[in-house]
Amino acid sequence: MRLFYAIFLPEEVKRALVEAQGRVARYKGWREVAPHHLHVTLLFLGERPEGDLADLLALGHRLGRLHPPFTARIRGTGYFPNEGTPRVWFAKAEGEGFALLAEGLREGVRETLGEEALLAGGDKPFKPHITLARRKAPAPRVPPVVFGLEWPVTEFALVRSELKPKGPVYTILEKFPLRGEHGREQEESAGERSQDH
C-alpha cells in the first residue's frame, strides 16, 4: 500500500486556498489539487507492505503523545522548482511543529523499518507546503499570493493513497492527536519533586 503521514487543513483554510487556486484555473496547463486533498505531507513512504502498518501506526501514536499542538501559518506561495519551468505551485506552511514532527517520523521509521523505508521520500530538505496545483502543460506562472492564515494543528494522520485514472484517492487510516504528554509528565514530576522537599 502507498502511504504517507500528513496534516490536513480546517475548512476555513481550505476555502481561502481554493479561492487562490482561481489564479491558475484559467490556464489549461495547471491542474488544481482538489480541496479535500489539500494537506501538508510530513513524510512520504511510497509502497509499503501491509506488515509495516502496525509499526507505522504505533509510531504515529508515540509521536502524538510526545508532541504538543502548535500554531500553523500560511503567508505566501512559491514554486517547485523555484527557477526555470515550475512543476508545482504551493502555499508555504510555517510552524515549528512541522519540522519536529517530520524529523521524529523520519527517525522513527529509520529505527523501526530501516533506512530503506525512507528512500521513496528522497533526500531533499523538508519544506512544509501545501501543493495547490501541478503543471501538466505549458502555462504561465501566476504572481505571488499573500495570505494571513493561521490555525491550530492538533493532529496528524497516516494516509493511504491509491492512484486512479481520475486522480489519487486518499483514505485516512488513523489520526494521531497531538498531546505533548511527555512534557506534562516532566512538569508534573518536577512539581512532585519540589513538593517532596
Side-chain angles (χ1 to χ4, degrees):
M1 56 179 67
R2 193 167 183 262
L3 301 173
F4 64 96
Y5 289 103
I7 292 170
F8 286 86
L9 313 175
E11 289 301 321
E12 63 271 22
V13 173
K14 283 195 283 191
R15 277 197 294 273
L17 296 181
V18 168
E19 188 178 328
Q21 286 176 316
R23 306 287 182 96
V24 297
R26 74 188 78 166
Y27 304 113
K28 291 182 179 177
W30 286 106
R31 183 178 297 169
E32 305 100 286
V33 173
H36 61 285
H37 281 176
L38 294 170
H39 67 274
V40 178
T41 298
L42 295 170
L43 181 65
F44 179 71
L45 296 162
E47 288 291 337
R48 301 304 310 167
E50 282 200 40
D52 288 354
L53 195 54
D55 286 332
L56 294 171
L57 294 173
L59 173 62
H61 284 295
R62 181 161 60 85
L63 287 182
R65 287 193 295 272
L66 289 173
H67 292 277
F70 64 94
T71 300
R73 292 171 293 279
I74 300 174
R75 299 285 185 252
T77 56
Y79 290 97
F80 291 136
N82 190 38
E83 303 294 332
T85 303
R87 292 189 301 275
V88 169
W89 183 49
F90 64 89
K92 303 171 190 172
E94 302 170 9
E96 63 181 23
F98 287 123
L100 292 173
L101 274 176
E103 186 55 33
L105 288 167
R106 284 187 68 83
E107 285 303 314
V109 168
R110 183 181 288 117
E111 288 172 10
T112 309
L113 302 176
E115 191 75 29
E116 174 271 335
L118 296 171
L119 295 179
D123 56 1
K124 292 179 183 175
F126 174 70
K127 290 184 179 177
H129 68 277
I130 299 136
T131 297
L132 298 173
R134 292 186 173 84
R135 191 171 178 270
K136 301 295 182 183
R141 289 177 179 239
V142 296
V145 179
V146 177
F147 300 101
L149 301 171
E150 197 170 290
W151 80 98
V153 177
T154 58
E155 63 184 16
F156 66 104
L158 181 62
V159 185
R160 178 178 186 173
S161 170
E162 297 173 86
L163 299 178
K164 305 281 187 182
K166 290 186 176 180
V169 175
Y170 294 164
T171 304
I172 293 178
L173 299 179
E174 194 142 333
K175 294 179 179 177
F176 312 107
L178 296 175
R179 296 196 175 100
E181 290 172 355
H182 179 66
R184 280 206 297 273
E185 286 170 6
Q186 286 183 328
E187 288 174 12
E188 287 169 6
S189 298
E192 289 170 7
R193 282 197 299 276
S194 65
Q195 287 176 1
D196 291 343
H197 295 288

